[in-house]
Amino acid sequence: MTSSWAELLDTKAPEWTDALERIAHDMYHEPEYVALDARLAGGTPTAFWYGEDDRQLLMPLIVRDIPESDLHDAVSPYGYPAPVSNAPSGDVAFWERAC
């Protein structure tokens, strides 16, 4: 049986940096960069983190309030980081579950 999890991470969460140690990424995925850009964009820095056993996916996000409502949206930090993962691109089932 596969063990899986999904969570929104704070920039201080050790899981964020631990995931990046296992996944090829660029500076736009680093929590410090996302926090800086969130200050400029007026939002809250976070990352969507999904995993199954030893495979992980991480997607940095900035969550912003939608004016005059109690709704929110989520955008990628400047630099347009895509989700990063240590799962092979051919593992379609993992990517479908993560998305």
Side-chain angles (χ1 to χ4, degrees):
M1 176 176 228
T2 300
S3 171
S4 66
W5 66 92
E7 192 174 338
L8 287 177
L9 300 176
D10 179 86
T11 56
K12 304 286 188 217
E15 295 89 352
W16 191 330
T17 52
D18 290 347
L20 292 181
E21 288 176 7
R22 296 179 183 88
I23 300 171
H25 63 282
D26 63 32
M27 67 175 265
Y28 303 112
H29 297 92
E30 296 287 338
E32 296 84 2
Y33 180 84
V34 179
L36 173 65
D37 197 58
R39 282 195 293 271
L40 297 172
T44 302
T46 190
F48 173 72
W49 180 50
Y50 176 83
E52 294 177 1
D53 299 326
D54 63 339
R55 294 182 176 180
Q56 299 180 44
L57 174 137
L58 186 86
M59 176 66 190
L61 297 167
I62 297 172
V63 177
R64 305 177 303 180
D65 293 334
I66 296 176
E68 300 178 28
S69 79
D70 56 352
L71 302 174
H72 310 280
D73 73 354
V75 297
S76 64
Y78 183 81
Y80 316 110
V84 290
S85 178
N86 62 348
S89 60
D91 188 349
V92 175
F94 171 87
W95 287 93
E96 285 178 347
R97 289 187 299 273
C99 290

